[in-house]
Amino acid sequence: MDNDNDRRPNLSPDSGSGDSGPSSFLSGNGIWLLLLVILGAFVAMRYFQEPAGHQISYSELKKNIQEGEVNSVRLSDQLVVATPTNEALKEARKSTKDQNMEVWRAVRVRDDAGLIELLEEKGVAYSAEYQTGCEGSYVWVWIAPLVIMFLLWSFFMRRMSGMGGRNNPAMDFGKTEAEVHLEEGTGVTFDDVAGCQEAKEELEEIIEFLKKPEKFTRLGGQVPKGVLLVGPPGTGKTLLARAVAGEAEVPFFNLSGSDFVEMFVGVGAARVRDLFEQAKKKAPCIIFVDELDAIGKQRGSGGFQGNDEREQTLNALLVEMDGFDSRSGVILLAATNRPEILDPALLRAGRFDRHINVDRPDVRGREQILEVHTRGVVVGDDVDLSIIAAQTAGMVGSDLANAVNEAALLAARRGKDEVEMDDFQDAIERVMAGLEKRSRRLSDKERNIVAFHESGHAIVAGAVEHADKVHKVSIVSRGLGALGYTLQLPMEDRYLMTRNELRDKISTLLGGRGAEDIIFGDISTGASNDLKRVTDIAKRMVREFGMSELIGNVNYSEDNDNQMMSLPGGRPDYSDETAEAIDQEVHGIIQNLYRRTVKILEKNSDLLDEMAAYLKENEVLDGEKLESFMDRVEPLDDDEEVELSLSQPPASEAPPAAAPGE
Ligand code: ADP
Ligand code: MG
Ligand code: ZN
């Protein structure tokens, strides 16, 4: 849980210099960069530049000296540069058109010692040219292009990443304001968000706090710092967050998790710190991190580039969350559709410990969402939003908004004055066609099965003595795997469970499978998760809790199997006969309880039909309506109960009679 601790050292204050390091070198030195380019170019040009003068051959130059046409000579390592006499200059100008006749230049022949003698003899003034160590060596030929290439490279890197120097305080452009969207008032209210009643109720407290922080803090109370909105895409999480800000009339800092993830190390982290600083100045306010999973992925997973950056950003967020006090009036909201991949450190107490589910809307919710989105649309008299809502099972808020818009466009294209029912129908078909590919939409047949399955759970829960109270039955799919659900909430915290309670739990879990079985005479894959839990409970009853008379009061828990108690080769520390007996006991428990479940359902088969029909129409069954159904559930009478004794006689083979020969 606390694996963030070992990362802390990264965040010591001096890491600040680390993250401004590379960027300030590049950006703060914009002028240096220019100067260096110019200098480099200058050096290169100077080296490659041909010295001025009329180029002649060495022998010709010597001849000219011989003939007294040369006034003076400068000698360098490689060149002989001669200044001709005036007469010679005039002569030469006649014969050639070269403008550079003032000096003659020849490449020196090295071993010619006779040149100096000749100059002495002819009385020509000569001097040697001083050369710097660099010039003439090849150092600059190599260095200048390298410097230029490096500068060009860093320049392009900066451009590509699109963010060089963003935290350099010296160059004040691109501070966090540029990315973090600050809205003084979002103007969105809860009226614009339809359907997610439970989420709204939970957010009510946050709004009240933002409005009147004193009221809460007066008594030293702590308001949650971080609230995480969890739900499938398009269900209105972003919208809800904005509505909270709108309702509370506070500023709204909006940024997306992916904004944080930048390629340059440390910049994301710096931005987080910056953001919190700004927010504190604006308190009370809301910081909203959309798509939290983009930064909040579990650390140490995945190895692609930029991971380091993400971890640092995440660390910074964690540290900031620890460092600020909700009493300062800053509330952190975040949204994700993949809570399961979030780093556990983010979810622990004091951080995003409050989760609010934003589920797919049920039929009533969809109707309300349609109402919200048809507010600005001219709707025909024949349009019945409740029918549309019934036809759009599985759609979320954004799909419905999209469908309404599509319908309006269709009607306009058809030259109508108002949007009519057939426009809506066509629009829904279009949106559905797009949806079918990307999300699960149940066929009518599947919905029928799910409706009976969930009703089965609910009825068995109502019939057995010890099951938790059923609060809600739903066939609105919940993303990951579950096509529907029956929500049972315990009346009190449980630390111990009795054998009868465990039996009732198993019966209830088998209710879904049982209902499918008796209604359709066939069973579906939908019960696999139920069966997994059933098997798990039954196994533990036999192996760990000593609830089987046959196996007795022993605890052969899994731990023993896997760890030191197990024999080499992974065999558990009990005999093969015991293993077989355990298997039989588990099987016996489950089969006995299944027979009981089926009996319960058969006894309540009319109710089962009614409940499933109601669910198919309304998708959700809760509140008083649920009560009225549950009140009608008839438990089994004592004489109807199946034999629940867990003890089954072992499948004992009669000991083989001794073979005569032995
Ligand atoms: P999420 O953030 O959950 O992916 P959004 O909040 O971005 O979804 O929703 C996208 C759009 O869908 C919203 O702008 C809004 O028009 C519409 N929408 C989604 N849910 C609702 C809702 N419950 N009520 C009204 N409109 C909704
Ligand atoms: Mg969103
Ligand atoms: Zn089930």
Side-chain angles (χ1 to χ4, degrees), residues 434-613:
L435 275 182
E436 227 117 71
K437 289 183 202 102
R438 65 181 163 84
S439 79
R440 189 200 320 278
R441 224 185 79 72
L442 297 184
S443 68
D444 283 348
K445 188 173 161 220
E446 286 167 328
R447 265 163 67 86
N448 198 24
I449 295 177
V450 176
F452 276 103
H453 179 107
E454 298 304 334
S455 304
H457 283 307
I459 287 175
V460 178
V464 297
E465 198 178 341
H466 303 287
D468 294 328
K469 190 171 176 347
V470 180
H471 275 250
K472 186 172 175 180
V473 187
S474 162
I475 60 167
V476 181
S477 79
R478 257 199 168 167
L480 297 172
L483 301 177
Y485 57 92
T486 301
L487 182 67
Q488 288 175 272
L489 295 178
M491 304 302 280
E492 63 225 41
D493 279 349
R494 301 305 304 268
Y495 300 102
L496 291 174
M497 288 194 78
T498 65
R499 182 157 73 180
N500 281 332
E501 285 163 350
L502 289 173
R503 285 172 174 169
D504 285 354
K505 201 171 178 87
I506 291 178
S507 298
T508 307
L509 283 167
L510 290 169
R513 159 64 47 105
E516 290 180 34
D517 200 354
I518 62 173
I519 298 293
F520 303 107
D522 192 6
I523 48 185
S524 78
T525 54
S528 79
N529 189 45
D530 297 334
L531 296 185
K532 188 169 183 312
R533 289 174 61 194
V534 163
T535 314
D536 193 48
I537 296 172
K539 251 191 195 163
R540 294 185 66 187
M541 285 170 76
V542 177
R543 292 167 37 145
E544 289 176 36
F545 307 144
M547 289 181 180
S548 152
E549 279 128 44
L550 179 72
I551 305 298
N553 291 326
V554 292
N555 180 347
Y556 296 128
S557 58
E558 296 276 352
D559 288 353
N560 295 354
D561 287 1
N562 299 335
Q563 288 164 17
M564 44 196 208
M565 297 300 283
S566 65
L567 301 174
R571 270 179 46 222
D573 63 340
Y574 40 71
S575 67
D576 288 349
E577 288 76 31
T578 310
E580 225 178 293
I582 289 176
D583 288 345
Q584 276 171 14
E585 277 293 280
V586 170
H587 177 81
I589 291 173
I590 296 174
Q591 284 315 107
N592 277 342
L593 291 170
Y594 185 66
R595 282 195 289 130
R596 179 188 186 213
T597 297
V598 168
K599 265 195 174 177
I600 294 171
L601 290 170
E602 278 168 351
K603 189 167 182 183
N604 291 283
S605 65
D606 290 344
L607 191 62
L608 183 63
D609 282 335
E610 271 181 59
M611 208 165 180

Side-chain angles (χ1 to χ4, degrees), residues 237-238 288 290-291 335:
K237 298 181 295 296
T238 308
F288 178 56
D290 211 348
E291 321 290 347

Side-chain angles (χ1 to χ4, degrees), residues 66-101:
Q66 192 85 50
E67 288 169 4
E69 292 175 354
V70 172
N71 229 349
S72 64
V73 165
R74 279 179 294 140
L75 297 167
S76 77
D77 261 4
Q78 288 157 11
L79 292 177
V80 187
V81 181
T83 315
T85 58
N86 286 342
E87 302 90 71
L89 189 59
K90 271 180 214 158
E91 280 296 309
R93 282 211 166 122
K94 277 180 207 157
S95 54
T96 47
K97 292 216 166 93
D98 194 331
Q99 293 300 303
N100 291 326
M101 273 303 175

